């Protein structure tokens, strides 16, 4: 997979790689990245291919292809093994990276995501969205606002955090139709990552907003059951994008976990 991959790489110390959600960009991780840099970590936050300042190559939709690009970035920057974190789509990609290169993960952070594959209904829904933005590319922002925005944010945020709603709406307006269609098809084709998590020896943190309808608690419990060493951070008053809705709470959970990983001594 070729193309331009934009990566914000700052700080010094043990490396943390943070992967963003669909259809956002790396900037969504800023509160958590700042907390980690202040704590003495090197933090790498890419715009995934097709989002932000990164370009979408002309290849068949595949999360494994994106994972290969991210693996090459980690290797080129000598950032592995790292604490690997992802929210939603970013979580799918973190698991795809583990499928190919489990040696790259010193620890794992999964936010608002799930290991299970899409069923037939979910796959069909993704294809409908891909076709809608392909047929009406100029209406991509409006289509995403109607189809995606309600699921990205929890009820508390929709009712009482208008600035957050507008921030996420802006990300949807910035999304490119070709990227939206490409990633919908790539996500629809992803395999079940449960066996990947079952084979992971590294510690893991699962972060979940209690109002997340896209990645419900049952999916979090499935991941926790698979992971050998894991903990759950529950974020009240937040939905699928908990790190955007309650940034300080998620920054503290991720920062504390990263510090524990860094400070852990061999038994």
């Amino acid at each position: 997979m070729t193309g331009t991959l934009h990566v914000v790489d700052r700080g010094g110390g043990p490396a943390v790689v943070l992967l963003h959600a669909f259809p956002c960009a790396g900037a969504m991780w800023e509160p958590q990245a700042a907390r980690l840099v202040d704590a003495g970590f090197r933090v790498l936050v890419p715009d995934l291919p097709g989002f932000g300042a990164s370009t979408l190559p002309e290849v068949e939709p595949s999360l494994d292809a994106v994972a290969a690009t991210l693996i090459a970035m980690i290797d080129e920057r000598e950032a592995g093994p790292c604490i690997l974190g992802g929210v939603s789509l970013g979580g799918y990609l973190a698991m795809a990276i583990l499928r190919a290169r489990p040696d790259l993960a010193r620890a794992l952070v999964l936010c608002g995501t799930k290991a299970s594959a899409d069923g037939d209904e979910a796959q069909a829904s993704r294809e409908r969205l891909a076709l809608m933005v392909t047929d009406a590319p100029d209406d991509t922002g409006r289509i995403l606002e109607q189809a995606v925005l309600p699921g990205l944010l929890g009820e508390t945020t929709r009712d009482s955090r208008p600035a957050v709603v507008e921030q996420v709406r802006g990300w949807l307006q910035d999304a490119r139709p070709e990227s939206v269609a490409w990633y919908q098809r790539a996500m629809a084709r992803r395999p079940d990552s449960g066996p990947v998590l079952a084979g992971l020896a590294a510690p893991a943190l699962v972060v979940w907003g209690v109002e997340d309808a896209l990645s419900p608690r049952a999916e979090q419990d499935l991941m926790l059951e698979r992971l050998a060493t894991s903990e759950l951070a529950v974020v009240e008053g937040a939905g699928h994008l908990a790190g955007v809705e309650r940034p300080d709470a998620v920054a503290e959970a991720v920062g504390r976990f990263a510090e524990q990983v860094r400070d852990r001594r061999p038994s």
Side-chain angles (χ1 to χ4, degrees):
M1 189 174 191
T2 59
T4 302
L5 185 70
H6 174 75
V7 183
V8 175
D9 184 347
R10 71 187 203 263
V16 181
V17 176
L18 300 175
L19 308 175
H20 65 79
F22 170 94
C24 309
M28 72 171 297
W29 277 109
E30 176 54 32
Q32 294 78 38
R35 164 70 169 81
L36 290 163
V37 170
D38 288 345
F41 290 90
R42 177 189 178 193
V43 182
L44 297 85
V45 185
D47 289 340
L48 298 175
F51 297 111
S54 296
T55 58
L56 181 68
E58 295 183 4
V59 297
E60 283 296 308
S62 165
L63 294 189
D64 287 340
V66 180
T69 296
L70 296 170
I71 289 168
M73 180 273 292
I74 294 170
D75 285 341
E76 289 166 5
R77 293 172 182 255
E78 299 182 344
C82 62
I83 297 175
L84 182 61
V87 54
S88 190
L89 164 63
Y92 302 158
L93 288 168
M95 288 179 268
I97 290 171
L98 291 176
R99 187 177 299 113
R101 287 281 304 279
D103 60 293
L104 286 183
R106 184 180 182 187
L108 181 65
V109 177
L110 297 173
C111 305
T113 193
K114 54 189 175 183
S116 60
D118 282 349
D120 291 344
E121 183 177 345
Q123 290 182 19
S125 178
R126 291 193 189 280
E127 181 60 24
R128 284 194 296 270
L129 180 55
L131 290 173
M132 287 173 68
V133 298
T134 300
D135 291 342
D138 292 341
D139 288 337
T140 296
R142 178 187 60 80
I143 292 168
L144 289 176
E145 186 171 339
Q146 293 178 352
V148 176
L149 182 60
L152 291 180
L153 301 173
E155 181 179 0
T156 300
T157 297
R158 296 196 304 270
D159 290 345
S160 62
R161 299 180 183 122
V164 173
V165 176
E166 286 306 308
Q167 181 183 35
V168 175
R169 182 178 285 119
W171 292 336
L172 302 185
Q173 292 293 330
D174 289 341
R176 304 162 206 159
E178 63 273 17
S179 298
V180 172
W182 195 96
Y183 275 92
Q184 285 299 309
R185 289 167 174 147
M187 288 188 284
R189 298 170 184 175
R190 74 186 192 279
D192 180 6
S193 290
V196 172
L197 299 186
L200 182 69
L205 171 68
V206 174
V207 180
W208 179 67
V210 296
E211 299 173 10
D212 187 351
L214 295 180
S215 299
R217 178 60 188 264
E219 293 285 354
Q220 313 310 301
D221 290 340
L222 286 173
M223 293 192 296
L224 292 165
E225 289 171 7
R226 292 282 194 146
L227 291 160
T229 304
S230 63
E231 59 183 280
L232 174 68
V234 174
V235 185
E236 301 288 342
H240 195 59
L241 300 184
V244 178
E245 299 173 73
R246 293 203 57 207
D248 292 345
V250 175
E252 183 56 31
V254 174
R256 184 172 59 249
F257 174 74
E259 291 166 349
Q260 291 171 352
V261 171
R262 178 187 60 193
D263 298 341
R264 185 174 287 118
R265 297 290 182 266
S267 57

